[in-house]
Amino acid sequence: MADDEARTATKESADAKQQEQEPTGGQTGTDQETGDTVTEKQALHEGGTGDGQVTPEGPGSTPAGERAEISNFEIVNHYFNRAAERIGLRDDVAAVLRSAYREVQVQIPVTRTDDRIHVYTGYRVQHNGARGPYKGGVRFHPEVDLDEVRALASLMTWKTAIAGIPYGGAKGGVNCPAGELEAHEKEKVARSFMSKIDKVLGPTRDIPAPDVGTNAQTMAWMMDEYGKLHGHTPAIVTGKPISLEGSYGREAATGRGLVYMYREAAAALGIRPSESRFTVQGFGNVGSWASRIMQELGAKLVAASDAFGAVRSDEGLDAEALASHVADGGRLRDFEGGEEISAVELLETECEVFIPAALGGMIHKSNAERLRCKLVVEGANSPTTPAADEILEDRGVFVVPDVMANAGGVVVSYFEWAQNLQHFRWEEREVNEKLGRIMRRAYREVAARAEKDEVPFRLAAYEVGIERVADAARTRGYIS
Ligand code: NAD
């Protein structure tokens, strides 16, 4: 059948492209079936953390520069289960909060320039809406599947609760090879996806935003498609271009939020941001903005990577120049202001703070020992596996977890939505100040909980988030 053939061809070409594109260790590539995954997964299912079963360099272990093969879903549920147990959440309530409220799967057939129909699958998972409309990004990436979208939707529920903004949690995705689609093909995917899920969306129901493989342009197409069906509705998506009622400060918001978190953590650890060195894994939207804003504080970017390679400079890479180099189509590894290094050397670069801002599972039990930093501020979602988290804790590396650290994007999305509902625009300074207030408040509330319960920040953050969601669900009468 033509569709099946096209689907197979597309999958093969996506796989081939990934192998070709990722000399630094890449996303999961050919090692997806190694025994290491099974070991870490099995240990998790047995209530452990996955370490101790295989030596870091032992047979079947994940090479140090690659992603661990444990799913984001397992990572998020591992932390949810531990926190739920700690706060004594009833099993039946935990079962409600662990699973998603609604999961939609749609077919997206797209005729590409090869004149063949390529069939992609789109997902929208609405995890929990107790605290407000569902909110979460849309990812275009060949590895998107239902489990990943579920995990990311669940993470959004806890993230919005920890940040204290009036949203629930959702996530969407299409398993298309975004990196190899031409702009008009990406537009077809975005419009087709929106036209098939519009009935479960709405400015008071569920509001998508950009994520990996999507951007302000994608949101503009999605808003336009929704408008054809329902009339002009800017508040249907956030992360839009400024010319279409996007918010000042939204593009940089996740990176800026990380820096607010870093400043709080640095003060607690006695690190002076202006004298600190930092490394960024994944110099994309989040990583490059975090770098530019860290540099404004006087901090030095000593190493950075993307899917194609990594660079280092002990004197410091110029984050602005590096971002321009990438925006002009250059590769990090070709940047003249630094020397090319491997993915493993990136991990081993000595610095005060390491910022993972690529994909999930990049810090795992086979490479967590290699980090040479005092602090990890998680920009990516689920970058650290539970086994790696334990190793970092044992080594005294302080972790500001994803579920609070990278909330800046959704916080400014909330501001964009609020501005859209009023057809009003705030100045960038106002946006950044309000973002700072929310990020600092979240940090201090989690820090207080961590101190009171004598638990790491990640567990404390989940405890805070779960309690807020359970309380809202109970108060509304959704659960008793
Ligand atoms: P992006 O696509 O702009 O950037 C991702 C970067 O990671 C790219 O530079 C890519 O080349 C790099 N990368 C991919 N594989 C890599 C590898 N194996 N080694 C090193 N680098 C690699 O995406 P983004 O929007 O910056 O998102 C990055 C992460 O942050 C994701 O996990 C996303 O879910 C999370 N996040 C994003 C936002 C947001 O507002 N954009 C908000 C919260 C969380």
Side-chain angles (χ1 to χ4, degrees), residues 317-432:
L317 299 157
D318 179 342
E320 285 289 350
L322 196 56
S324 304
H325 170 78
V326 172
D328 292 342
R331 296 270 159 92
L332 282 195
R333 62 175 185 231
D334 301 326
F335 183 63
E336 286 187 355
E339 53 160 331
E340 187 178 352
I341 54 169
S342 69
V344 172
E345 287 171 317
L346 178 101
L347 296 173
E348 292 174 340
T349 301
E350 205 169 305
C351 57
E352 276 64 48
V353 54
F354 184 86
I355 302 178
L359 297 170
M362 298 288 295
I363 306 174
H364 45 78
K365 69 174 187 291
S366 300
N367 67 17
E369 290 284 356
R370 295 178 185 254
L371 289 182
R372 297 280 167 271
C373 59
K374 297 186 173 124
L375 176 63
V376 172
V377 182
E378 294 183 343
N381 286 314
S382 302
T384 311
T385 66
D389 209 38
E390 287 229 334
I391 294 171
L392 295 178
E393 199 186 333
D394 290 347
R395 293 183 53 214
V397 177
F398 183 74
V399 178
V400 187
D402 53 359
V403 71
M404 59 192 282
N406 70 24
V410 70
V411 170
V412 177
S413 273
Y414 162 52
F415 298 160
E416 180 176 332
W417 176 73
Q419 291 170 76
N420 293 159
L421 292 176
Q422 299 169 59
H423 296 282
F424 198 77
R425 175 163 274 167
W426 305 346
E427 296 300 323
E428 184 168 356
R429 195 164 51 93
E430 195 180 349
V431 169
N432 293 344

Side-chain angles (χ1 to χ4, degrees), residues 24-27 139 159 171 210-213 250 254 281-287 305-308 357-360 362 379-381 406 409:
T24 62
Q27 298 167 3
R139 182 174 288 199
K159 196 178 295 182
K171 201 77 180 189
D211 192 70
V212 174
R250 173 60 183 87
T254 306
Q281 180 188 56
F283 197 79
N285 172 291
V286 175
S305 68
D306 64 11
F308 310 100
L359 297 170
M362 298 288 295
N381 286 314
N406 70 24

Side-chain angles (χ1 to χ4, degrees), residues 208-267:
D211 192 70
V212 174
T214 56
N215 56 21
Q217 175 62 73
T218 325
M219 294 305 110
W221 290 324
M222 289 180 72
M223 180 193 83
D224 186 69
E225 195 62 28
Y226 189 86
K228 286 182 194 164
L229 301 161
H230 303 273
H232 183 58
T233 317
I236 184 59
V237 287
T238 57
K240 299 180 294 293
I242 297 295
S243 58
L244 289 172
E245 295 192 52
S247 176
Y248 290 120
R250 173 60 183 87
E251 197 193 322
T254 306
R256 189 176 297 281
L258 291 179
V259 180
Y260 283 123
M261 287 292 179
Y262 171 55
R263 289 170 71 171
E264 294 297 308

